[in-house]
Amino acid sequence: MKHISVLIKPASSLCNIRCKYCFYADISSLRDVRSYGKMTDDTTQKMIANLYLDLEDGDELTLAFQGGEPTLAGIGYFEKLAELVEQQTKRVTVHYAIQTNGILINQRWCRLFKRYNFLVGLSVDGSPIYHNLNRLDIKGRGTYHRVMATKKLFDDHQINYNILCVLTNQLAKEAKKVFRFLQDNCIRYVQFIPCLDEINAERRSSYALTPQRFATFYQQLFKLWFKELGKGNYISIKLFDDLVHLFARKQVNACGLLGNCQVQYVIEADGSVYPCDFYVLDEYRMGYIQEQGLRELFEQDITKKFLCERSADTKLCMDCPFKNYCGGGCKRMKDAVYVDEQKEMCGYQVLLNTLVPKISAILECLQQQTVKNS
């Protein structure tokens, strides 16, 4: 049995808000075609058919949707896609996920998410001040209250969702405020996404995360999280969960965690396929999903070239006690998370030195909560 995941951009780089730090706006601006518009019915039909080519009875398939803003494709797109999936004859378990800014979500969207058991990632940046600093609508207004209204809809409809929080350099100074925000709003699942600079930036922007800020944020956050965990109050912070699985169970649950790139199969609206969401660039195009199956796309020379590309190790990496667990980390995250410009510290190493000695205590607390809730 195999589990295949793909990341689909049904509305390409189209978006109804204007986040100042949007990495995909930067990526799409470097292509010959900035936006491929909305995925056509013909492309959608051929995409589903070819995704099933290499699947067998008993396999699992995750269809995740991202943008731009994927809800701009319209509810009808998702309803039609789900119908195409249901028409397939192979007995494959299909999981749905979507990442959204929440602006267009209404009762009808919630019914769709509930019907197909979508896991929704809702983007909220930690507090009204920091959210409205960067996540603006097309008229330059903050979007915080509209997004939090969507969160309430999700709660009312019992939608499975987690919060996606972009960790800017400014927000990284506010670990206590961020953690209080999670508690005050009863947020049980959160993923912090390091804010990246433009891919060809010559000068660091004010919002791009640095390894120093990454380290101080997660050090402070871990202390707050671990204290509450000891009281029986568990909040799922994805990076902490991933590290517990890695060090305690030897399970790798996140791309780039071991420094080795994996093929994500990012499918743009025109059907073009790329190995990673950070590299949806013309030079990394693997082919077209309406013409080839995933196995054939994986065997392309550009795919092999992408998998072999790595950042050079520094002396700090060579001497690091966690080198075998990290492998230098994600190459696109290197300036935000790992070794700093002076080659004197690594933000990720600081986090591991903080968390790893507490692994046994974390597992004990989690086990106690499992027993209590059973």
Side-chain angles (χ1 to χ4, degrees), residues 35-286:
S35 175
Y36 296 103
K38 298 179 183 180
M39 186 175 286
T40 66
D41 290 347
D42 182 64
T43 299
T44 304
Q45 185 172 353
K46 291 176 179 176
M47 174 182 70
I48 295 300
N50 279 351
L51 287 177
Y52 271 76
L53 276 180
D54 301 315
L55 294 173
E56 301 171 352
D57 289 348
D59 288 344
E60 296 185 42
L61 172 66
T62 294
L63 301 175
F65 301 90
Q66 200 179 55
E69 173 52 40
T71 59
L72 288 175
I75 289 180
Y77 167 83
F78 292 93
E79 292 174 336
K80 190 168 294 185
L81 181 141
E83 290 177 7
L84 290 170
V85 168
E86 291 173 348
Q87 292 169 7
Q88 303 304 309
T89 57
K90 294 178 181 177
R91 296 191 302 275
V92 173
T93 300
V94 179
H95 310 278
Y96 294 98
I98 189 169
Q99 180 176 333
T100 177
N101 59 36
I103 301 299
L104 294 180
I105 302 302
N106 54 24
Q107 301 278 353
R108 189 179 170 196
W109 277 106
C110 288
R111 289 194 291 271
L112 175 85
F113 294 156
K114 192 68 178 178
R115 177 181 177 184
Y116 295 105
N117 196 28
F118 269 76
L119 173 62
V120 183
L122 179 64
S123 296
V124 188
D125 279 359
S127 74
I129 293 175
Y130 288 98
H131 183 101
N132 287 336
L133 181 66
N134 292 306
R135 302 189 68 83
L136 309 175
D137 66 15
I138 57 175
K139 294 184 179 180
R141 301 171 300 190
T143 58
Y144 175 81
H145 292 294
R146 278 174 280 180
V147 178
M148 292 305 285
T150 293
K151 177 188 176 299
K152 185 177 186 305
L153 272 178
F154 289 163
D155 289 331
D156 292 344
H157 286 264
Q158 298 182 317
I159 303 298
N160 294 321
Y161 73 94
N162 54 44
I163 295 299
L164 304 175
C165 178
V166 176
L167 187 61
T168 62
N169 218 36
Q170 296 96 333
L171 186 60
K173 296 186 292 185
E174 306 289 356
K176 290 182 179 180
K177 289 183 180 179
V178 171
F179 195 74
R180 191 179 307 119
F181 168 81
L182 300 177
Q183 293 176 307
D184 292 346
N185 289 280
C186 301
I187 293 169
R188 308 310 303 171
Y189 301 91
V190 63
Q191 177 180 355
F192 294 101
I193 303 169
C195 186
L196 303 179
D197 224 331
E198 294 180 356
I199 196 166
N200 294 325
E202 296 180 0
R203 183 184 305 171
R204 182 179 288 275
S205 66
S206 61
Y207 50 75
L209 189 66
T210 64
Q212 290 87 351
R213 287 277 174 83
F214 173 90
T216 56
F217 174 80
Y218 271 108
Q219 275 186 311
Q220 295 175 29
L221 188 71
F222 179 79
K223 292 177 182 177
L224 297 166
W225 177 82
F226 186 69
K227 182 178 180 181
E228 288 300 308
L229 182 64
K231 297 177 182 178
N233 302 321
Y234 171 64
I235 296 177
S236 172
I237 295 175
K238 189 174 187 305
L239 182 54
F240 293 164
D241 291 346
D242 288 342
L243 291 177
V244 170
H245 285 297
L246 177 64
F247 282 89
R249 305 184 178 101
K250 312 302 181 190
Q251 296 176 0
V252 180
N253 294 339
C255 180
L257 201 62
L258 297 181
N260 298 318
C261 287
Q262 301 170 0
V263 175
Q264 295 179 345
Y265 299 111
V266 182
I267 304 175
E268 257 286 6
D270 68 333
S272 54
V273 185
Y274 306 81
C276 174
D277 196 31
F278 292 138
Y279 295 93
V280 185
L281 296 163
D282 296 338
E283 57 264 39
Y284 288 100
R285 186 185 299 117
M286 299 157 60

